[in-house]
Amino acid sequence: MTKDKIEKIQKLNSEIQNFKACYEGVELWGGRDGPVTSDTLIAFLIENPHFQQMADKIKSLDT
């Protein structure tokens, strides 16, 4: 593994840990029995990239 790849992985890990820290102690609820964990939310977003595309379109309306 190259140094560049390791640095990218470390940066992404830092971003994921920051995301988890932001939602620590916060319960998100969805269409299921119980709260949605940050890991479940990240997995959902990975499996459904079209939601990011929709969010990008909404964000572009602000500019």
Side-chain angles (χ1 to χ4, degrees), residues 13-29:
N13 180 59
S14 177
E15 291 175 16
I16 291 170
Q17 294 307 316
N18 184 50
F19 175 81
K20 288 180 168 188
C22 287
Y23 286 97
E24 187 174 332
V26 176
E27 287 189 345
L28 302 173
W29 289 81

Side-chain angles (χ1 to χ4, degrees), residues 29-62:
W29 289 81
R32 55 180 278 176
D33 298 329
V36 178
T37 66
S38 57
D39 291 332
T40 302
L41 180 56
I42 290 171
F44 174 81
L45 294 172
I46 290 169
E47 293 170 4
N48 297 280
H50 57 281
F51 285 111
Q52 181 60 53
Q53 295 166 355
M54 184 172 45
D56 291 341
K57 288 177 186 177
I58 293 168
K59 186 176 179 181
S60 73
L61 296 174
D62 290 339

